[in-house]
Amino acid sequence: MFRALFARLTGEPTRGQELFGIAVDEARKTHWFVEGQVPDTVNGRFAVLATVVALMTVRLEREGDAGRHATVALTERLVETLDAEIREMGLGEPALGKQVRKLVGAVGRRVERWRLIVEGDRPWTEEVQRSVYAGDEAPAGALAHSESRLRTMWGRLGASKIEDLCEGRMR
């Protein structure tokens, strides 16, 4: 009920939808779960989405005020989606808010770590292991695949204008 009321009160209730769509489309690609051998579970899917959103956030941060605005929009859509998905799984109040905060915090920690990696030109392998596989040991080929795909995505994000990203287009 409140979501419907507040959606009408906000000036941009669908702000960030296209940007979040890029993240979801990327995280749903089967290569993560086949060649990358990420477990096809709720946790595995969240790990991929959280990693993609974290890298997108780091990219958007480079755009000043426009990037901050886009990051807020992306985060709003993430929170809205997590809330809806967790409700569908049967978790209700008061545990719902705590679970959403926990998941958003996990994304935030990924953002902090990825920021250090891409800005410091550090090796990616350890963070791919931590971020995509939740620290579990991944086969070397699977880990290499996921790292390669994340590097490619990072390059595509960097080659895309913020206006294009906000309209749901990535090179």
Side-chain angles (χ1 to χ4, degrees):
M1 177 174 126
F2 288 112
R3 187 181 313 170
L5 288 173
F6 290 124
R8 283 186 233 125
L9 295 175
T10 59
E12 302 172 277
T14 60
R15 169 176 86 135
Q17 196 64 39
E18 292 83 6
L19 192 57
F20 187 66
I22 292 172
V24 170
D25 288 346
E26 182 62 38
R28 286 184 175 166
K29 291 183 177 174
T30 57
H31 71 82
W32 297 112
F33 310 99
V34 177
E35 293 90 348
Q37 298 181 38
V38 174
D40 192 4
T41 62
V42 171
N43 290 340
R45 288 176 178 260
F46 174 76
V48 174
L49 178 62
T51 302
V52 169
V53 168
L55 280 168
M56 290 179 74
T57 299
V58 172
R59 163 62 181 91
L60 293 170
E61 289 175 341
R62 296 175 169 203
E63 296 292 332
D65 286 339
R68 281 188 288 282
H69 184 74
T71 298
V72 168
L74 176 61
T75 303
E76 287 172 350
R77 296 297 71 80
L78 174 67
V79 169
E80 181 180 80
T81 300
L82 291 174
D83 180 271
E85 292 294 325
I86 292 170
R87 283 181 193 277
E88 275 189 33
M89 293 170 68
L91 189 63
E93 301 296 339
L96 177 68
K98 182 178 179 182
Q99 187 64 31
V100 170
R101 282 189 302 277
K102 179 182 172 187
L103 294 172
V104 171
V107 174
R109 288 185 296 280
R110 281 174 172 86
V111 169
E112 291 172 15
R113 294 190 313 260
W114 280 109
R115 186 183 300 125
L116 293 172
I117 287 170
V118 299
E119 291 176 0
D121 199 30
R122 297 180 181 179
W124 285 43
T125 305
E126 185 177 317
E127 185 54 35
V128 172
Q129 181 82 44
R130 186 174 183 185
S131 192
V132 176
Y133 299 95
D136 293 336
E137 194 67 34
L143 183 60
H145 170 82
S146 293
E147 180 177 341
S148 172
R149 288 299 183 113
L150 287 172
R151 284 181 180 275
T152 299
M153 187 191 78
W154 178 250
R156 292 175 59 214
L157 285 168
S160 300
K161 295 179 181 179
I162 189 170
E163 298 83 10
D164 290 335
L165 291 171
C166 290
E167 291 175 6
R169 295 185 308 272
M170 181 172 63
R171 290 187 175 218

